[in-house]
Amino acid sequence: PRPGDLIEIDRKFYQHWALYLGDGYVINVTPVDEGAPSLSVSTTSIFTRRAKVKKQLLTEVVGNDGWRVNNKYDRSRTPLPVEEIIRRAERWIDKEVTYDVLSSNCEHFVTMLRYRQPASEQVSDTV
């Protein structure tokens, strides 16, 4: 991946999303509970409605799951310049955010960083 790319991670019942920062690191939304593994991000956060933005190694976030670069919204939206995407992302590290599976999930978060507007196709497809 290249800095600013969206990373789609295959989980058992959903897709988790992260944004590639470079040097093997991503930024993603994780449960507020420090003891909760990043692999259960969305299921844990659904119940807590709070999450923390973390900078982690891609390999740590992915675990044994499949992943791919997926900048699918580039077809309909113009990404911000890479330097701005990274600058915007780094401002969020270690901050607590509201999590809502329908309106403020991990995909909404990373698309907001890349395009300035949040989007989540997996929510719109499900709803």
Side-chain angles (χ1 to χ4, degrees):
R2 294 185 314 251
D5 280 342
L6 299 180
I7 306 295
E8 182 179 16
I9 304 162
D10 298 322
R11 299 292 195 232
K12 189 169 184 160
F13 299 109
Y14 64 95
Q15 304 305 108
H16 181 59
W17 290 82
L19 183 120
Y20 191 72
L21 296 173
D23 297 323
Y25 285 91
V26 295
I27 187 169
N28 73 126
V29 177
T30 67
V32 169
D33 175 13
E34 293 295 328
S38 61
L39 298 179
S40 62
V41 170
S42 291
T43 53
T44 301
S45 298
I46 285 168
F47 300 111
T48 64
R49 298 186 61 87
R50 292 183 7 227
K52 192 168 190 176
V53 178
K54 284 193 163 184
K55 178 181 178 179
Q56 296 176 284
L57 285 170
L58 175 60
T59 55
E60 189 179 303
V61 176
V62 169
N64 293 325
D65 294 327
W67 66 275
R68 70 193 106 348
V69 170
N70 189 349
N71 297 322
K72 63 183 177 181
Y73 298 105
D74 284 8
R75 295 174 292 205
S76 58
R77 298 168 186 225
T78 304
L80 295 167
V82 172
E83 300 78 23
E84 187 174 346
I85 294 169
I86 302 305
R87 189 171 41 252
R88 288 164 51 88
E90 288 176 339
R91 282 188 226 143
W92 286 98
I93 295 171
D94 292 328
K95 295 204 174 167
E96 202 169 291
V97 295
T98 301
Y99 185 97
D100 182 282
V101 72
L102 297 177
S103 64
S104 187
N105 66 34
C106 55
E107 186 177 7
H108 287 111
F109 179 74
V110 297
T111 55
M112 180 269 301
L113 294 174
R114 184 170 172 86
Y115 306 105
R116 192 170 285 158
Q117 292 182 328
S120 179
E121 211 170 70
Q122 67 183 332
V123 169
S124 58
D125 289 350
T126 304
V127 175

